[in-house]
Amino acid sequence: MYSLKKPTQTLILVVFVLFLSNKLIAQDIDLFKMQEAQDKKDQANKRDLVTATFKTTRMVNGQSIENVGKGIMDLKISHRFGTVNTGAYNFFGLDQATMRIGMDYGITNRLMVGIGRSTFNKEFDGFLKFRILRQSTGRRSFPFSVSYVATSIYQSVKPAETTYQIYQTDHFFYVHQLIFARKFNDYFSLQLVPTLVHYNIVPLTTSENDLYSVGVGFRQRISKRVNLTGEYYYQINPVTGTYNTLSLGFDIETGGHVFQLHFTNSTGINEKSVITETTGQWDKGDIHFGFNISRVFTIVKPKAMANAKF
Amino acid sequence: MKKIILSITMIAVGMTMANAQKLFSTKAGQIKFNATGGVEKIAAVNNQVDSKMVDKTGQIVFSLLVNGFIFDNQLMKDHFEENYLETTKYSKADFKGFITNISTVDFSKNGKYNVTVDGSLTIHGVTQKVSTAGTLTIANGKPSIVGVFKIKIKEYGITGLYIGEKIASEAEISVDCKYD
C-alpha cells in the first residue's frame, strides 16, 4: 500500500506522527488543575462523622450523646444548692448543697466508663456508655446517633428501721437508657432518651420496681462559647409524690473545660434520683441553682501525637 | 533518505525525552502546627497530607482534610473544628505553588538542596500568599521535603476569644513529605 518509493511523503508522515506523540507525551502536567479535580471528587465522596452534638457528656443532670475521647479522663464536680424559695435566711439556697464528684474515662472512642459519688442518699454510681451508631453526612449519611447507657447505683445511706430484713442487694438500683440524638446544624441539637429505672426494693408497696420515662434534651448555641441547654424527663409511671424533672442552663466553654450553670427542680444528681426522686416543683419555686465543672486530662496520647515532636 | 528519516526520528524522540516531566506524589505526608500561646500545648498533627510535585516545573501542591488533625485532647479538637476552623463549611486546606529554584535540583543523584517555595495557602476559605524556605532531599531518586513557616491566624479570617492569649497569634507550621 505504502512504499518508500515516495520518501518525501514518508518523511512528512513520520515527522507529523512524532510531533503529535511528542505533544501527547510531553504535555505539561498541571497540578493545580489535578488538585481541583481531586477536590471535586473528594467533595462528592466525603463522609464525615458529626461531632460535638452537645458540648459535654452531660446535659445538665442526665447523660448526653457525647463520649469523652479515647485516653481522656474527665473529672466532674457537680453542685446543686438548696432551693431558692428557702428565702434570705438560707441565702436563697446557697447555704445548702448536694454534690457529686465523678470521674469518666474513654476506653475507646465508642466506649466510656465512669464512677461517681453523690452526697444525696450517699450513693455510689458507675456507668458505661457505648456509641452504637453515629450521625454522619455526605456519602452513606446517617441522620442521627444512638448510644446505650447502663448505670448501676449503690445507696449506702443507713436504711430506716424496718420490720423486714434488708439485704445487700436492696441497696442497688439500675438504669438503662437509649439515647437518640441529632445535630441539626452548628446551632441546634436535640436528643430523646427512653429510660428504664429499676428498683430492687421499692419505697412503698404500691410502687413498681420498673419505672419508665422518656427524656428530651436540647442545645441551642447563643455564641461560640455559650450554649443554652434544657433537659426534661417525662415519667410514664411516676412514683407517688414525685414530679418530672426540668432543668435549664448554660454551657460555657473555657478552653480545657466546659462550665455548666443551671436551674433545676432536682436535688439529686445521678439518673435514679433525678428521674424518679424529684420532689421539687418549678411553680412552687423549688428551684435549685447548680453548676457542673468539668476538667479533662489526657491520660493516653493518640499515637500520632505521641510520635510527633513539637 | 532513510538516514534523514532516522535522524529526524532520533531528534524527535530525544526532544520527547527531554520534555518528559516526572510527577512525584504522596498521600501520607505530615503537617504539624503549633499555636501554643500559654502554658497549655495547642498543637496537632495530620499524617494524611496529599502532596504532588513535578520535577521540571517545580510545581507543588499540598492538600489536607482539616478534621484529620489529631490533638492530645478530644475537646480541643472539637473546639478547633467547630469554633475556629469551621470544618463543616471549610473541610480542606491546601497550598498551591512553585519551587522557584527547581533548576538547581538534580533529581538523578543523592543530595540536599535549599529551596524556596512561593504560592498561595488556603485555610478557612481564605487564600494568602506564602513564601518560605525549605530543604529538598533526593535519596535514590525519591525526593522529600521539609519546611517550617509561620502564619498569622487572623489573616485567615479565623476568629476566637483566645487568639493572642492561650492560642498564639502566629501558628508555626511544619511540613514533612516523602514522595514516591
Side-chain angles (χ1 to χ4, degrees):
Chain A
M1 292 186 315
Y2 206 85
S3 75
L4 285 175
K5 277 174 192 166
K6 292 175 179 168
T8 342
Q9 279 183 17
T10 315
L11 182 63
I12 290 166
L13 187 75
V14 166
V15 168
F16 181 71
V17 166
L18 282 170
F19 184 68
L20 201 71
S21 64
N22 194 12
K23 265 282 190 211
L24 284 173
I25 295 164
Q27 194 175 40
D28 284 351
I29 303 170
D30 188 348
L31 292 180
F32 299 168
K33 279 202 183 115
M34 281 171 75
Q35 189 59 47
E36 270 166 35
Q38 183 67 37
D39 285 348
K40 269 190 197 133
K41 213 170 111 191
D42 289 351
Q43 187 65 26
N45 285 327
K46 81 168 184 169
R47 176 171 188 263
D48 282 332
L49 288 177
V50 170
T51 58
T53 306
F54 293 101
K55 292 296 156 190
T56 179
T57 55
R58 305 299 148 84
M59 290 301 307
V60 171
N61 292 311
Q63 298 277 357
S64 80
I65 194 80
E66 293 300 324
N67 281 27
V68 291
K70 183 182 175 180
I72 308 277
M73 189 184 79
D74 186 0
L75 180 70
K76 279 194 182 290
I77 299 167
S78 312
H79 262 265
R80 304 292 176 268
F81 292 103
T83 57
V84 293
N85 62 359
T86 51
Y89 180 68
N90 279 327
F91 204 59
F92 305 97
L94 296 185
D95 284 355
Q96 306 139 349
T98 62
M99 60 140 355
R100 176 184 182 273
I101 182 161
M103 219 156 54
D104 298 347
Y105 183 73
I107 295 172
T108 69
N109 281 328
R110 279 182 184 266
L111 178 67
M112 75 180 265
V113 293
I115 48 169
R117 168 65 159 72
S118 307
T119 57
F120 187 72
N121 286 333
K122 299 187 186 298
E123 287 173 339
F124 292 88
D125 64 81
F127 73 89
L128 66 88
K129 177 151 68 170
F130 184 74
R131 284 185 190 275
I132 301 167
L133 293 167
R134 296 196 68 176
Q135 187 183 344
S136 57
T137 57
R139 212 174 142 92
R140 284 172 56 220
S141 65
F142 196 74
F144 56 87
S145 300
V146 183
S147 287
Y148 167 70
V149 193
T151 308
S152 56
I153 291 151
Y154 176 79
Q155 196 175 73
S156 71
V157 71
K158 285 193 179 110
E161 289 276 313
T162 52
T163 54
Y164 48 87
Q165 173 77 35
I166 297 277
Y167 298 97
Q168 193 60 20
T169 52
D170 292 338
H171 293 281
F172 280 97
F173 302 80
Y174 303 99
V175 185
H176 298 276
Q177 295 178 297
L178 268 181
I179 307 177
F180 298 88
R182 176 170 166 80
K183 185 180 189 177
F184 288 86
N185 48 49
D186 279 351
Y187 292 86
F188 185 73
S189 304
L190 192 68
Q191 69 170 25
L192 275 177
V193 193
T195 301
L196 164 65
V197 180
H198 177 83
Y199 279 55
N200 273 356
I201 191 169
V202 290
L204 302 163
T205 49
T206 51
S207 307
E208 292 168 73
N209 288 82
D210 289 331
L211 303 166
Y212 297 92
S213 54
V214 180
V216 57
F218 76 90
R219 168 185 74 88
Q220 170 70 52
R221 177 158 133 177
I222 295 170
S223 77
K224 277 192 175 180
R225 314 245 136 236
V226 182
N227 286 272
L228 177 71
T229 57
E231 184 180 42
Y232 178 76
Y233 275 89
Y234 173 75
Q235 300 186 81
I236 294 162
N237 51 344
V239 180
T240 319
T242 68
Y243 299 93
N244 295 336
T245 175
L246 171 68
S247 316
L248 289 171
F250 296 96
D251 284 4
I252 300 160
E253 296 176 56
T254 58
H257 9 197
V258 176
F259 189 56
Q260 297 179 294
L261 282 176
H262 36 250
F263 293 96
T264 175
N265 58 336
S266 295
T267 312
I269 301 165
N270 66 45
E271 278 69 22
K272 186 259 308 180
S273 51
V274 168
I275 300 165
T276 64
E277 290 178 335
T278 293
T279 51
Q281 285 175 274
W282 270 79
D283 52 8
K284 298 263 167 66
D286 303 328
I287 300 160
H288 304 262
F289 171 62
F291 61 83
N292 300 343
I293 301 170
S294 151
R295 174 77 219 191
V296 294
F297 301 92
T298 305
I299 304 298
V300 181
K301 278 187 187 180
K303 254 195 200 128
M305 278 302 276
N307 296 335
K309 287 192 176 63
F310 288 91
Chain B
M1 199 66 216
K2 274 186 188 168
K3 270 185 186 165
I4 297 173
I5 295 173
L6 199 66
S7 49
I8 288 177
T9 311
M10 292 294 277
I11 290 164
V13 169
M15 271 167 62
T16 312
M17 297 290 272
N19 275 7
Q21 298 176 336
K22 198 151 191 275
L23 174 69
F24 295 101
S25 72
T26 177
K27 284 192 182 298
Q30 185 185 67
I31 288 183
K32 295 181 288 190
F33 76 81
N34 191 344
T36 306
V39 277
E40 193 170 28
K41 185 173 91 181
I42 297 169
V45 60
N46 191 323
N47 288 326
Q48 292 168 302
V49 177
D50 192 345
S51 179
K52 293 185 186 72
M53 176 172 69
V54 177
D55 60 352
K56 285 283 173 316
T57 56
Q59 195 179 30
I60 189 162
V61 295
F62 297 90
S63 169
L64 60 80
L65 284 170
V66 181
N67 63 13
F69 274 104
I70 298 162
F71 288 74
D72 273 347
N73 176 331
Q74 181 70 38
L75 189 66
M76 200 184 281
K77 180 174 161 69
D78 288 348
H79 289 171
F80 170 76
E81 289 173 9
E82 187 162 335
N83 296 340
Y84 293 92
L85 274 287
E86 302 182 271
T87 51
T88 50
K89 267 188 262 174
Y90 315 106
S91 59
K92 277 191 172 184
D94 65 30
F95 175 84
K96 291 173 181 159
F98 288 93
I99 299 170
T100 51
N101 57 341
I102 195 72
S103 54
T104 62
V105 179
D106 183 355
F107 281 79
S108 62
K109 65 176 190 224
N110 291 358
K112 261 190 176 181
Y113 303 88
N114 291 327
V115 290
T116 52
V117 182
D118 276 356
S120 47
L121 177 66
T122 307
I123 301 174
H124 190 248
V126 178
T127 304
Q128 298 286 358
K129 287 266 172 283
V130 166
S131 180
T132 182
T135 310
L136 195 157
T137 309
I138 306 286
N140 304 321
K142 286 178 180 170
S144 57
I145 277 187
V146 291
V148 179
F149 62 100
K150 283 192 170 183
I151 59 157
K152 289 196 173 70
I153 295 171
K154 284 192 175 161
E155 284 185 356
Y156 293 86
I158 300 164
T159 57
L161 219 55
Y162 297 114
I163 297 171
E165 297 170 35
K166 287 181 189 175
I167 303 168
S169 50
E170 284 191 327
E172 186 182 88
I173 298 182
S174 321
V175 181
D176 186 349
C177 289
K178 292 175 182 62
Y179 298 87
D180 282 324

